[in-house]
Amino acid sequence: MSAQTAFGAARRGGLFADEAKRLGFLMSLPAQLLLLFIVVFPLLMQIYVSLTYWGPLDGESWIYAYKSLNPLDNYGELFIDGRFWASIARTLFIVVVSVPIEFLLGLGLATLFVDQFPGRRIFYSILLMPMMIVPAVAGYMFFMLFQSNGPINDLVSRLTGLDMDFVWLSDPNLAIVAVMIADIWQWTPLMFLILLAGMMGVPEDQLRAATLLGANSWQRFWRIVLPKMKMVIIIAVVIRVVECFKIFDLLAVMTKGGPGVETETLSYYIYKLTFADLEWAYVAALGLFVLIALSLIAWAALWRLQKAQARAETQPGR
Amino acid sequence: MARLEFISVSKSYGKTIAVRDVNLSVEDNEFFCIFGPPSCGKTTLLRLLLGLVEPDEGEIRIDGRSVTGLGPKERNLAMVFQNLALFPHMTAAQNLAFPLVERKIDRAEVARRVAAVAETLHITKLLNKVPAHLSGGERQRVAIGRALVRDPAAFLMDEPIAALDARLREEMRVELKRLQRELKHTLIYVTHDQEEAMSIADRMAILENGMVRQVGTPDEIYNHPQSRYVAELVGSPPMNFIEGEVDPMSRRFRADKIAFDVALAALGPHVVAGGPACFAIRPEDIVICAADDPAGTVAAEVYEIEPLGAFTIVDVNIGETILKAMVPGQLQFTLHQPIKLGFPTEKCHVFNRASGRLLVGAA
Amino acid sequence: MASIRLSNLTKRFGPFTAVAALDLLIPDKEFVALLGPSGCGKTTTMNMIAGIESVTDGQILFDDRDVKNLPSGKRDVGFVFQNYAIFTHMTVYENIAFGLRVRNVARSEIDRRVRTMAALMRLEDRLEWPSGKLSVNELQKVAIGRSAITEPAIFLLDEPLSNLDAAFRAFMRTELKHLQHQFQQTMVYVTHDQIEAMSLADRIAVMNLGVLQQYGTPAEIYNRPRNIFVANFMGSPSMNLLPCRLVSEGSALRFSFGEAGLLDVAGDSALARRARSAPSADVIFGVRPEDVEITQAGGANALKGVVFFVEPVGARTVVHLKVNGKVFKVTKEKRFKIAIGTAVGLIPPVGKCHLFDAASGDAIGAG
């Protein structure tokens, strides 16, 4: 009797579970196929093209690219392409300077705004505005501001009493500074917004406990607020690093990569290769190389993070 | 009106055994409590009974009839959930009528039954209110009413009053007991609150890791626990325990680390000389006497005093072992005052230290 | 070590008065409980003492020093929060060390004191644990240890036991009291649980709706409640309160309970003397459940009651009766047996009766 019962229950449960699984699979199948098509197909196409000399001027469909098959030439070339490596170095320079400044400014602003003060809401709205502006428009604004007879030179001259005449956007050393200032202006608000959200999430009672234990505001910030915001800080910085690495639109309006190639970033170089030089097969190889390199770096970073987490979790506990 | 039985019931979820080899029988009209710490299998027992899950082994019978394979609807049991699950947009009357409307019973009959149930539960005046406008106790009654209109064979309740505050809980306890008596239904009541279980149950089952450790009236459970587990779980302040060994020759218990040597009642058959044992006594059974009183057998000193008005809890220190003694009234002690303690033979228990099984029971 | 004097302390939130003109002297090294139902102003009072909440009016003196304008970090108070507010990103060690670290105490000194404190709180083997992995019971010990390590003059505890399971709560009650004797600090303890207040405190301040109802030792509060609120709030089960009329019968005094019967009291007894000072003949008669004797029905000088529920609660049995249609409870020893439906006589001992004015609720003739 009891064996029969157990069998009955198992069969019913099993069947139900199977059916639910199959139904779920069938229902999600179209979405899965679509995803496959969107992600996998272009990637395969890119790999294929990157192994050839195919370009739009060949007058042939990409399918026939194999006619100019040259498996590793493109990859070999990118290693000796000085302009490519210079653009990467320049991009990294922008990331390494801009993102920390954005982070520090954002953190400072968040610290101010976490407390209530009169006019907080208005200042808050004003502060977030740069982020809402279309990057091309922001680029145009700074393009005007940095003209040699523009308001910035004018302001500096009046303040110092000297006749300042920086040609910001055409000076090989100053152009990149102008671009970075524009980037910082536009993206500090995002940093501020994320960090403020994180700071608001720091438990009030723990801060209060710290105060009662005698911690001053600096100690509270250093020992409670910052450690509690660790994850938020990582997220904010990663978002900005990734975005900043792709910097393009400000440049396109302000300098067009110039003077010469002095502000040419990776994105801008690829853009020029694609639309000015029409080197499509080389661009495919270059894009793939950057993708693989970035994936490896991200993977290594994640792996280290996971290891750190695992170490924290294997501490004695329940 | 039903007799409910579990016969060798086991149930596992994956590798976790939720219920193992449970044999229980709940008599008709009984107020039966299932009591145990969190995740001891209480809720699984209810789910098995309701038919929400099927047992892996064994069977469940209602009124002697096996209900294996019957769905929840066919078992005709009513469940009152902890969160009550009242429909917030419906009035009390609509909530009460809901199970009947679902069953397509005609309107006049529905109205008659709702009125009758409201009458029994004293909620006639509340019928037009929505749950948000009812007090905790009133909502409770509506939830019970909704279960009652179906005229179920038995009621099952899963911690139905755990969310209420202490005073209201005490009132609801009395109220539930009255209702059960008047409605004459079998009621299975799951709780993790020992005081609640003790106060309302006709009989109770104590669970540990899916196994039934003891079944009995609250009096049996409190005064004759069959294992250390049961002894520890009921009573507040909790029972006192002292580790040591039994000397079967002199019929005495001696503690390992402290000067504690007391006489015991008749020994059970499982006593082994020198075997590790554990002496136990309830706080209210310890007798406190003056340091020079010959009635006291163990010397101790006062560690802390907790005056609670109706009685006083005296924490006594016997060489670094603290026991709680409870005496009626308001007694005056000073800290570190030397005293003597008496341990009435008929109120002492001894458990096997390893298995926790009862070796020497109270009279 | 400090005494705390609150004088005319008031806190208003807009139109709502949370604490109304509170006067309270908490002597040095005493353990005082602020007791009352939720919303009675006890937590607000404590937050004002700690400096977490600003003061609307009145003074807070620590040893005659006004601390009203001192920031909370400078008041030298230890505070244990109801939810413990443990720093979840730190280990137990770092939590306990926090108060010393922010004071820039030398590393070796911190280490010594943390280990001493951990030993005292029995947390030695938990020191390196991340605090997120502790049980509630352990969190509570960390919270106390963390506050105690800076040896504050005043220790404030906000319902520290309310999240614990019953058995550990009973244990912690004793431990807390013992710790207070060891630390020799002034302790203020907020709770809504009268059992905790009774068992722990040297003195209890009972509050309701922002107003202090009574301040005294547990025995005073329990035995001589100053009004109906205090009488009803203290004790479990709570005091039986029955409305009755006073009638003079020659030299004797008669308490008339309508259908439930009469009680005659000798005219020269203390109870009668107190009753004569009543402002009106309508009084509330109070007696504690453990003081009432149950006898056979029909006896003289006994109230008529009918048993409707018998509740065994472990060490005691609570007998629920109906007297004049109202619930009346009597506690007896465990294993007390009485059948439901039995009519009985109830004798309240004359020396243990309480009288309250029906209109104001104040105790009559209380010292």
Short mmCIF file of all heavy atoms in Angstrom, two decimals, chain A residues 203 205-216 219-220 223-228 312-318, chain C residues 50 52 72-73 77 79 81 83 85-90 98-99 101-103 128-130 133-135 146-147:
data_model
loop_
_atom_site.label_atom_id
_atom_site.label_comp_id
_atom_site.label_asym_id
_atom_site.label_seq_id
_atom_site.Cartn_x
_atom_site.Cartn_y
_atom_site.Cartn_z
N PRO A 203 23.36 52.53 6.98
CA PRO A 203 22.35 52.52 8.05
C PRO A 203 22.56 53.66 9.06
O PRO A 203 23.64 53.81 9.62
CB PRO A 203 22.55 51.16 8.71
CG PRO A 203 23.26 50.33 7.71
CD PRO A 203 24.08 51.27 6.89
N ASP A 205 21.39 53.96 12.00
CA ASP A 205 21.64 53.55 13.39
C ASP A 205 23.11 53.23 13.63
O ASP A 205 23.62 53.47 14.72
CB ASP A 205 20.74 52.37 13.78
CG ASP A 205 20.91 51.19 12.85
OD1 ASP A 205 21.50 51.38 11.77
OD2 ASP A 205 20.46 50.09 13.19
N GLN A 206 23.79 52.70 12.58
CA GLN A 206 25.21 52.40 12.78
C GLN A 206 26.02 53.69 12.88
O GLN A 206 26.97 53.77 13.65
CB GLN A 206 25.72 51.51 11.65
CG GLN A 206 25.08 50.14 11.70
CD GLN A 206 25.67 49.17 10.70
OE1 GLN A 206 26.81 49.31 10.28
NE2 GLN A 206 24.90 48.16 10.34
N LEU A 207 25.61 54.69 12.12
CA LEU A 207 26.28 55.99 12.22
C LEU A 207 26.06 56.59 13.60
O LEU A 207 26.96 57.14 14.22
CB LEU A 207 25.75 56.95 11.16
CG LEU A 207 26.22 56.65 9.74
CD1 LEU A 207 25.49 57.52 8.74
CD2 LEU A 207 27.72 56.88 9.64
N ARG A 208 24.83 56.44 14.07
CA ARG A 208 24.49 56.98 15.38
C ARG A 208 25.29 56.25 16.46
O ARG A 208 25.82 56.87 17.39
CB ARG A 208 22.99 56.80 15.61
CG ARG A 208 22.43 57.76 16.60
CD ARG A 208 20.95 57.58 16.71
NE ARG A 208 20.23 58.28 15.65
CZ ARG A 208 18.93 58.11 15.43
NH1 ARG A 208 18.24 57.26 16.18
NH2 ARG A 208 18.33 58.78 14.49
N ALA A 209 25.38 54.92 16.30
CA ALA A 209 26.16 54.15 17.26
C ALA A 209 27.61 54.61 17.28
O ALA A 209 28.22 54.77 18.34
CB ALA A 209 26.07 52.66 16.92
N ALA A 210 28.16 54.89 16.08
CA ALA A 210 29.54 55.34 16.00
C ALA A 210 29.71 56.68 16.71
O ALA A 210 30.68 56.89 17.45
CB ALA A 210 29.97 55.45 14.54
N THR A 211 28.76 57.58 16.50
CA THR A 211 28.81 58.88 17.18
C THR A 211 28.83 58.69 18.68
O THR A 211 29.64 59.29 19.40
CB THR A 211 27.57 59.72 16.82
OG1 THR A 211 27.39 59.68 15.42
CG2 THR A 211 27.72 61.15 17.29
N LEU A 212 27.92 57.84 19.16
CA LEU A 212 27.84 57.64 20.61
C LEU A 212 29.08 56.96 21.15
O LEU A 212 29.40 57.09 22.33
CB LEU A 212 26.60 56.81 20.94
CG LEU A 212 25.31 57.62 20.87
CD1 LEU A 212 24.10 56.73 20.71
CD2 LEU A 212 25.16 58.48 22.12
N LEU A 213 29.78 56.24 20.30
CA LEU A 213 31.03 55.61 20.75
C LEU A 213 32.18 56.59 20.66
O LEU A 213 33.32 56.24 20.92
CB LEU A 213 31.32 54.37 19.91
CG LEU A 213 30.45 53.16 20.22
CD1 LEU A 213 30.60 52.10 19.16
CD2 LEU A 213 30.79 52.59 21.58
N GLY A 214 31.90 57.84 20.27
CA GLY A 214 32.92 58.88 20.32
C GLY A 214 33.59 59.19 19.00
O GLY A 214 34.57 59.93 18.98
N ALA A 215 33.09 58.63 17.89
CA ALA A 215 33.74 58.90 16.61
C ALA A 215 33.38 60.30 16.12
O ALA A 215 32.23 60.70 16.20
CB ALA A 215 33.29 57.86 15.58
N ASN A 216 34.37 61.06 15.61
CA ASN A 216 34.05 62.35 15.03
C ASN A 216 33.64 62.15 13.57
O ASN A 216 33.64 61.03 13.07
CB ASN A 216 35.23 63.32 15.16
CG ASN A 216 36.48 62.78 14.48
OD1 ASN A 216 36.39 62.08 13.48
ND2 ASN A 216 37.64 63.08 15.05
N GLN A 219 36.08 60.32 11.33
CA GLN A 219 36.20 58.89 11.66
C GLN A 219 34.97 58.12 11.21
O GLN A 219 35.06 56.99 10.74
CB GLN A 219 36.39 58.72 13.18
CG GLN A 219 37.78 59.13 13.63
CD GLN A 219 37.87 59.25 15.13
OE1 GLN A 219 36.92 59.66 15.80
NE2 GLN A 219 39.01 58.90 15.68
N ARG A 220 33.81 58.77 11.35
CA ARG A 220 32.58 58.12 10.88
C ARG A 220 32.66 57.87 9.38
O ARG A 220 32.32 56.81 8.89
CB ARG A 220 31.37 59.02 11.18
CG ARG A 220 30.80 58.83 12.54
CD ARG A 220 29.34 59.24 12.57
NE ARG A 220 29.11 60.57 12.05
CZ ARG A 220 29.21 61.67 12.78
NH1 ARG A 220 29.53 61.59 14.05
NH2 ARG A 220 28.98 62.85 12.24
N ARG A 223 35.59 55.17 8.68
CA ARG A 223 35.46 53.82 9.22
C ARG A 223 34.10 53.19 8.96
O ARG A 223 33.96 51.96 8.99
CB ARG A 223 35.70 53.82 10.74
CG ARG A 223 37.14 54.13 11.09
CD ARG A 223 37.32 54.14 12.59
NE ARG A 223 38.66 54.51 12.96
CZ ARG A 223 39.66 53.62 13.03
NH1 ARG A 223 39.44 52.37 12.77
NH2 ARG A 223 40.86 54.03 13.37
N ILE A 224 33.08 53.99 8.76
CA ILE A 224 31.74 53.42 8.55
C ILE A 224 31.25 53.67 7.12
O ILE A 224 30.95 52.74 6.39
CB ILE A 224 30.71 54.02 9.54
CG1 ILE A 224 31.24 54.00 10.97
CG2 ILE A 224 29.37 53.30 9.42
CD1 ILE A 224 31.29 52.66 11.60
N VAL A 225 31.21 54.96 6.73
CA VAL A 225 30.57 55.29 5.44
C VAL A 225 31.32 54.66 4.27
O VAL A 225 30.74 53.93 3.47
CB VAL A 225 30.47 56.83 5.27
CG1 VAL A 225 29.90 57.17 3.91
CG2 VAL A 225 29.59 57.41 6.37
N LEU A 226 32.63 54.92 4.18
CA LEU A 226 33.38 54.41 3.03
C LEU A 226 33.37 52.89 2.94
O LEU A 226 33.05 52.35 1.87
CB LEU A 226 34.82 54.94 3.06
CG LEU A 226 35.03 56.30 2.37
CD1 LEU A 226 36.51 56.59 2.28
CD2 LEU A 226 34.40 56.34 0.99
N PRO A 227 33.68 52.16 4.02
CA PRO A 227 33.64 50.70 3.89
C PRO A 227 32.26 50.18 3.49
O PRO A 227 32.15 49.22 2.75
CB PRO A 227 34.01 50.20 5.29
CG PRO A 227 34.59 51.33 6.00
CD PRO A 227 34.13 52.59 5.34
N LYS A 228 31.20 50.82 4.01
CA LYS A 228 29.85 50.35 3.68
C LYS A 228 29.51 50.62 2.22
O LYS A 228 28.64 49.98 1.65
CB LYS A 228 28.82 51.08 4.54
CG LYS A 228 28.92 50.73 5.98
CD LYS A 228 27.65 50.05 6.42
CE LYS A 228 27.85 49.44 7.76
NZ LYS A 228 27.72 48.02 7.78
N ALA A 312 36.36 35.54 2.35
CA ALA A 312 35.53 36.12 3.42
C ALA A 312 34.50 35.11 3.91
O ALA A 312 34.18 35.05 5.08
CB ALA A 312 34.83 37.38 2.91
N GLU A 313 34.00 34.28 2.96
CA GLU A 313 32.91 33.37 3.33
C GLU A 313 33.38 32.11 4.00
O GLU A 313 32.62 31.46 4.71
CB GLU A 313 32.08 33.02 2.11
CG GLU A 313 30.89 33.96 1.98
CD GLU A 313 30.30 33.96 0.59
OE1 GLU A 313 30.38 32.92 -0.07
OE2 GLU A 313 29.78 35.01 0.18
N THR A 314 34.65 31.74 3.77
CA THR A 314 35.11 30.52 4.43
C THR A 314 35.58 30.80 5.85
O THR A 314 36.02 29.91 6.54
CB THR A 314 36.26 29.85 3.66
OG1 THR A 314 37.20 30.88 3.34
CG2 THR A 314 35.77 29.17 2.40
N GLN A 315 35.43 32.06 6.27
CA GLN A 315 35.72 32.35 7.67
C GLN A 315 34.76 31.54 8.52
O GLN A 315 33.67 31.19 8.07
CB GLN A 315 35.49 33.83 7.94
CG GLN A 315 36.42 34.71 7.15
CD GLN A 315 37.19 35.65 8.01
OE1 GLN A 315 36.84 35.83 9.16
NE2 GLN A 315 38.21 36.25 7.48
N PRO A 316 35.12 31.24 9.77
CA PRO A 316 34.23 30.43 10.59
C PRO A 316 32.84 31.06 10.66
O PRO A 316 32.71 32.26 10.74
CB PRO A 316 34.91 30.43 11.96
CG PRO A 316 35.91 31.53 11.90
CD PRO A 316 36.31 31.64 10.47
N GLY A 317 31.84 30.24 10.59
CA GLY A 317 30.48 30.76 10.66
C GLY A 317 29.51 29.64 10.46
O GLY A 317 29.91 28.49 10.30
N ARG A 318 28.25 30.00 10.49
CA ARG A 318 27.25 28.96 10.33
C ARG A 318 26.91 28.73 8.87
O ARG A 318 26.89 29.67 8.11
CB ARG A 318 25.97 29.31 11.09
CG ARG A 318 26.17 29.12 12.58
CD ARG A 318 25.02 29.73 13.32
NE ARG A 318 24.89 31.11 12.93
CZ ARG A 318 23.75 31.78 12.97
NH1 ARG A 318 22.67 31.17 13.33
NH2 ARG A 318 23.70 33.04 12.64
N ALA C 50 20.86 60.69 25.78
CA ALA C 50 22.04 60.35 24.97
C ALA C 50 22.47 61.50 24.07
O ALA C 50 23.59 61.53 23.61
CB ALA C 50 21.74 59.12 24.12
N ILE C 52 20.80 62.18 21.21
CA ILE C 52 20.39 61.87 19.85
C ILE C 52 19.22 62.75 19.45
O ILE C 52 19.03 63.08 18.31
CB ILE C 52 19.98 60.38 19.74
CG1 ILE C 52 21.15 59.48 20.10
CG2 ILE C 52 19.48 60.05 18.35
CD1 ILE C 52 20.78 58.03 20.19
N SER C 72 26.31 64.37 21.29
CA SER C 72 26.17 63.04 21.90
C SER C 72 27.51 62.34 22.10
O SER C 72 27.68 61.61 23.08
CB SER C 72 25.23 62.20 21.06
OG SER C 72 25.69 62.14 19.73
N GLY C 73 28.45 62.54 21.18
CA GLY C 73 29.73 61.85 21.31
C GLY C 73 30.55 62.31 22.51
O GLY C 73 31.46 61.62 22.96
N VAL C 77 28.40 58.56 27.25
CA VAL C 77 27.36 57.58 27.53
C VAL C 77 27.56 56.37 26.61
O VAL C 77 27.98 56.50 25.47
CB VAL C 77 25.94 58.14 27.30
CG1 VAL C 77 25.61 59.24 28.28
CG2 VAL C 77 25.76 58.62 25.87
N PHE C 79 25.63 53.31 24.72
CA PHE C 79 24.25 53.14 24.27
C PHE C 79 24.12 51.80 23.58
O PHE C 79 24.87 51.49 22.66
CB PHE C 79 23.92 54.28 23.29
CG PHE C 79 22.45 54.51 23.08
CD1 PHE C 79 21.82 55.64 23.62
CD2 PHE C 79 21.68 53.62 22.35
CE1 PHE C 79 20.47 55.86 23.43
CE2 PHE C 79 20.32 53.85 22.17
CZ PHE C 79 19.72 54.97 22.70
N PHE C 81 21.59 49.74 21.31
CA PHE C 81 20.36 49.92 20.55
C PHE C 81 19.51 48.66 20.54
O PHE C 81 20.03 47.55 20.68
CB PHE C 81 20.71 50.26 19.09
CG PHE C 81 21.29 51.63 18.91
CD1 PHE C 81 22.64 51.85 19.10
CD2 PHE C 81 20.49 52.69 18.54
CE1 PHE C 81 23.19 53.10 18.94
CE2 PHE C 81 21.03 53.95 18.37
CZ PHE C 81 22.37 54.16 18.57
N ASN C 83 18.12 47.26 18.02
CA ASN C 83 18.54 46.34 16.95
C ASN C 83 20.06 46.19 16.94
O ASN C 83 20.63 45.68 15.99
CB ASN C 83 18.04 46.84 15.60
CG ASN C 83 18.62 48.20 15.25
OD1 ASN C 83 19.41 48.73 16.03
ND2 ASN C 83 18.24 48.75 14.14
N ALA C 85 22.62 47.70 16.16
CA ALA C 85 23.41 48.57 15.28
C ALA C 85 24.88 48.14 15.22
O ALA C 85 25.79 48.95 15.33
CB ALA C 85 23.30 50.04 15.72
N ILE C 86 25.07 46.84 15.07
CA ILE C 86 26.44 46.32 14.95
C ILE C 86 26.99 46.74 13.59
O ILE C 86 26.27 46.78 12.61
CB ILE C 86 26.40 44.77 15.04
CG1 ILE C 86 25.97 44.35 16.45
CG2 ILE C 86 27.74 44.15 14.68
CD1 ILE C 86 26.90 44.77 17.54
N PHE C 87 28.28 47.08 13.54
CA PHE C 87 28.91 47.45 12.28
C PHE C 87 29.10 46.17 11.47
O PHE C 87 30.01 45.39 11.73
CB PHE C 87 30.25 48.14 12.52
CG PHE C 87 30.14 49.36 13.40
CD1 PHE C 87 31.01 49.55 14.46
CD2 PHE C 87 29.14 50.31 13.18
CE1 PHE C 87 30.90 50.67 15.27
CE2 PHE C 87 29.03 51.42 13.99
CZ PHE C 87 29.91 51.60 15.03
N THR C 88 28.23 45.98 10.48
CA THR C 88 28.20 44.69 9.80
C THR C 88 29.41 44.44 8.91
O THR C 88 29.65 43.33 8.50
CB THR C 88 26.91 44.58 8.96
OG1 THR C 88 26.72 45.84 8.29
CG2 THR C 88 25.71 44.32 9.83
N HIS C 89 30.16 45.50 8.59
CA HIS C 89 31.31 45.28 7.72
C HIS C 89 32.57 44.99 8.52
O HIS C 89 33.65 44.90 7.97
CB HIS C 89 31.54 46.51 6.83
CG HIS C 89 31.76 47.78 7.62
ND1 HIS C 89 30.75 48.38 8.33
CD2 HIS C 89 32.84 48.54 7.80
CE1 HIS C 89 31.23 49.47 8.92
NE2 HIS C 89 32.49 49.58 8.61
N MET C 90 32.43 44.85 9.82
CA MET C 90 33.62 44.61 10.65
C MET C 90 33.51 43.25 11.35
O MET C 90 32.43 42.70 11.50
CB MET C 90 33.72 45.68 11.74
CG MET C 90 33.88 47.09 11.22
SD MET C 90 34.06 48.20 12.65
CE MET C 90 33.97 49.77 11.82
N PHE C 98 36.12 49.45 18.38
CA PHE C 98 35.81 50.72 17.72
C PHE C 98 35.94 51.95 18.62
O PHE C 98 36.61 52.93 18.29
CB PHE C 98 34.39 50.66 17.13
CG PHE C 98 34.06 51.84 16.25
CD1 PHE C 98 34.37 51.82 14.91
CD2 PHE C 98 33.46 52.97 16.77
CE1 PHE C 98 34.07 52.89 14.09
CE2 PHE C 98 33.17 54.05 15.97
CZ PHE C 98 33.48 54.02 14.63
N GLY C 99 35.31 51.86 19.79
CA GLY C 99 35.30 53.01 20.71
C GLY C 99 36.71 53.42 21.13
O GLY C 99 36.97 54.59 21.38
N ARG C 101 39.53 52.69 19.23
CA ARG C 101 40.26 53.13 18.04
C ARG C 101 40.00 54.59 17.75
O ARG C 101 40.92 55.33 17.41
CB ARG C 101 39.84 52.29 16.82
CG ARG C 101 40.42 50.91 16.89
CD ARG C 101 40.77 50.36 15.52
NE ARG C 101 41.49 49.11 15.71
CZ ARG C 101 41.22 47.99 15.10
NH1 ARG C 101 40.25 47.95 14.19
NH2 ARG C 101 41.91 46.91 15.34
N VAL C 102 38.74 55.01 17.86
CA VAL C 102 38.45 56.41 17.53
C VAL C 102 39.01 57.35 18.59
O VAL C 102 39.06 58.55 18.39
CB VAL C 102 36.94 56.67 17.32
CG1 VAL C 102 36.41 55.85 16.17
CG2 VAL C 102 36.16 56.38 18.60
N ARG C 103 39.41 56.79 19.72
CA ARG C 103 40.06 57.61 20.74
C ARG C 103 41.58 57.53 20.62
O ARG C 103 42.29 58.01 21.50
CB ARG C 103 39.63 57.16 22.13
CG ARG C 103 38.24 57.62 22.52
CD ARG C 103 37.81 56.99 23.83
NE ARG C 103 36.50 57.48 24.25
CZ ARG C 103 35.35 57.15 23.68
NH1 ARG C 103 35.35 56.29 22.67
NH2 ARG C 103 34.20 57.64 24.11
N GLU C 128 37.25 36.77 15.71
CA GLU C 128 37.64 36.97 14.32
C GLU C 128 36.48 36.79 13.35
O GLU C 128 36.65 36.89 12.15
CB GLU C 128 38.80 36.02 13.95
CG GLU C 128 40.07 36.28 14.75
CD GLU C 128 40.44 37.75 14.81
OE1 GLU C 128 40.34 38.43 13.78
OE2 GLU C 128 40.81 38.23 15.90
N TRP C 129 35.32 36.49 13.88
CA TRP C 129 34.16 36.27 12.99
C TRP C 129 33.69 37.58 12.40
O TRP C 129 33.66 38.60 13.07
CB TRP C 129 33.01 35.65 13.78
CG TRP C 129 33.13 34.19 14.03
CD1 TRP C 129 34.29 33.51 14.24
CD2 TRP C 129 32.07 33.26 14.11
NE1 TRP C 129 34.00 32.19 14.45
CE2 TRP C 129 32.65 32.01 14.37
CE3 TRP C 129 30.69 33.36 13.99
CZ2 TRP C 129 31.89 30.86 14.51
CZ3 TRP C 129 29.94 32.21 14.14
CH2 TRP C 129 30.54 30.97 14.39
N PRO C 130 33.25 37.53 11.13
CA PRO C 130 32.54 38.71 10.61
C PRO C 130 31.22 38.82 11.36
O PRO C 130 30.56 37.81 11.60
CB PRO C 130 32.32 38.38 9.14
CG PRO C 130 32.59 36.93 8.99
CD PRO C 130 33.35 36.44 10.17
N LYS C 133 27.74 37.03 10.73
CA LYS C 133 27.47 35.60 10.91
C LYS C 133 27.07 35.24 12.33
O LYS C 133 26.93 34.08 12.65
CB LYS C 133 28.72 34.81 10.52
CG LYS C 133 29.14 35.12 9.11
CD LYS C 133 29.81 33.97 8.45
CE LYS C 133 29.80 34.22 6.95
NZ LYS C 133 30.60 33.31 6.21
N LEU C 134 26.92 36.24 13.17
CA LEU C 134 26.59 35.94 14.55
C LEU C 134 25.10 35.69 14.73
O LEU C 134 24.28 36.18 13.96
CB LEU C 134 26.99 37.11 15.45
CG LEU C 134 28.47 37.48 15.47
CD1 LEU C 134 28.69 38.64 16.42
CD2 LEU C 134 29.31 36.30 15.90
N SER C 135 24.74 34.94 15.77
CA SER C 135 23.34 34.78 16.11
C SER C 135 22.88 36.04 16.83
O SER C 135 23.69 36.84 17.28
CB SER C 135 23.16 33.57 17.02
OG SER C 135 23.73 33.84 18.27
N ARG C 146 30.79 46.34 23.16
CA ARG C 146 31.29 47.47 22.39
C ARG C 146 31.06 48.79 23.15
O ARG C 146 31.88 49.69 23.11
CB ARG C 146 30.56 47.50 21.04
CG ARG C 146 31.04 48.54 20.09
CD ARG C 146 30.27 48.49 18.79
NE ARG C 146 28.88 48.91 18.97
CZ ARG C 146 28.00 49.01 17.99
NH1 ARG C 146 28.35 48.69 16.77
NH2 ARG C 146 26.77 49.40 18.23
N SER C 147 29.91 48.89 23.81
CA SER C 147 29.62 50.11 24.55
C SER C 147 30.36 50.15 25.88
O SER C 147 30.75 51.20 26.35
CB SER C 147 28.12 50.23 24.81
OG SER C 147 27.43 50.31 23.61
#
